[in-house]
Amino acid sequence: MERRVAERLRGTLGPLGLEAHAFKVGWYNAVLQPAFHLPYPDDTLAFVVLSTPSMFDKALKPFVNKERLKIIRDPVDQCVSHHLSRVKEKFPDQRVDVMFDYEMLPSRKPKFLAQTAAHVAGAAYYYQRKDVKLDPWGKKKIFGVCIHPKYGGWFAIRGLLLFPDIQVPFLEQPAPVDCVSTEEKRIELLEQFNFHWQDGRYRDIIEVKERYSEEQKEYFATPPAERFRLLGLSQEAQ
């Protein structure tokens, strides 16, 4: 069953520059405090959805051209929301719950921890402070970051698709690719991400197969309020 769902998702999301990676809710809940657990049985089938560098041209620009007058908030969020919501149409006989990376619970906690989901699904390796043996940071707060084996840091985690009626007790967990395998490189990655994230160097910590285009880099480097102009949208759209 998981394979059929995965193939249908690949056929729907792949042409949009989106990837879907399967996991069991239990894998995710097992590594988190109860406050962050997803409220589903452990064997429930779920997919974490990533946007790759090609999403900008394959999904965002066509969406903006078609839905120009309906864009009233962040265009990328609205584009991803549109396409993931349409996934439900591909599964008319299944319940499909969708969670987006920007959604919050009433407690102001995120609905799900995106990087943890990507790691347990084997989609990208979540490098954290605990992955460094000789910690050089003392009392500084150090945030972790996911690195994709093909795109490095040139990708984003956009949402979850959950299939509450599909239980997959025999699904085998894939290990994420440990592509930043030396202590020295992990320290460099976390340093760059935490203290120099604006220059984006952390994204190229490994040799990547594809990165954002110059146009896409400019878009994401621009303050959100000014991005509408880059897409040819009027400021009133906000």
Side-chain angles (χ1 to χ4, degrees):
M1 188 63 173
E2 175 272 330
R3 197 163 292 160
R4 284 208 305 275
V5 174
E7 283 172 4
R8 199 175 295 179
L9 287 177
R10 268 195 291 275
T12 304
L13 299 176
L16 300 168
L18 299 169
E19 288 183 355
H21 297 262
F23 68 98
K24 287 203 300 189
V25 165
W27 303 345
Y28 174 91
N29 287 349
V31 296
L32 292 171
Q33 300 291 329
F36 291 104
H37 284 186
L38 294 171
Y40 300 85
D42 281 353
D43 288 334
T44 303
L45 177 64
F47 290 83
V48 62
V49 178
L50 316 179
S51 62
T52 73
S54 66
M55 187 274 281
F56 193 79
D57 285 323
K58 288 179 175 176
L60 181 65
K61 285 175 160 181
F63 173 78
V64 167
N65 287 336
K66 188 177 175 200
E67 307 288 341
R68 189 171 295 277
L69 299 177
K70 297 181 190 169
I71 294 176
I72 54 171
R73 52 186 171 85
D74 183 90
V76 173
D77 287 349
Q78 207 165 325
C79 170
V80 171
S81 171
H82 168 79
H83 287 298
L84 293 195
S85 297
R86 288 197 67 187
V87 163
K88 294 183 180 187
E89 298 168 17
K90 303 290 181 183
F91 299 93
D93 302 325
Q94 298 290 346
R95 178 179 150 201
V96 185
D97 293 347
V98 186
M99 292 183 188
F100 299 104
D101 65 302
Y102 52 82
E103 288 186 297
M104 295 284 182
L105 295 166
S107 63
R108 303 304 297 157
K109 285 191 179 84
K111 273 199 172 178
F112 73 99
L113 299 183
Q115 301 202 103
T116 300
H119 186 93
V120 300
Y125 201 108
Y126 184 22
Y127 290 98
Q128 302 175 72
R129 189 175 194 155
K130 64 183 175 61
D131 295 309
V132 172
K133 293 186 183 73
L134 299 172
D135 186 322
W137 298 295
K139 292 183 178 176
K140 288 179 183 169
K141 185 154 181 67
I142 299 295
F143 294 97
V145 60
C146 271
I147 295 295
H148 190 287
K150 185 176 176 183
Y151 306 116
W154 301 101
F155 78 104
I157 304 158
R158 299 295 180 185
L160 296 187
L161 296 168
L162 297 117
F163 293 79
D165 301 329
I166 302 178
Q167 302 296 300
V168 283
F170 303 112
L171 189 64
E172 290 188 17
Q173 185 170 11
V177 178
D178 181 5
C179 46
V180 187
S181 53
T182 69
E183 177 92 349
E184 184 183 22
K185 274 288 184 189
R186 289 178 181 185
I187 290 172
E188 183 185 339
L189 169 65
L190 292 174
E191 288 269 340
Q192 287 181 1
F193 180 69
N194 280 273
F195 308 122
H196 309 285
W197 62 269
Q198 293 97 329
D199 62 25
R201 279 181 299 151
Y202 79 88
R203 298 179 188 271
D204 286 310
I205 194 70
I206 62 168
E207 197 168 314
V208 299
K209 302 275 194 305
E210 195 181 341
R211 57 172 61 85
Y212 292 173
S213 63
E214 291 306 314
E215 180 187 16
Q216 190 171 177
K217 284 183 198 169
E218 183 189 1
Y219 178 83
F220 287 115
T222 300
E226 295 167 32
R227 290 175 183 172
F228 286 78
R229 176 180 49 79
L230 294 180
L231 293 173
L233 296 168
S234 68
Q235 208 67 13
E236 293 82 58
Q238 296 169 64

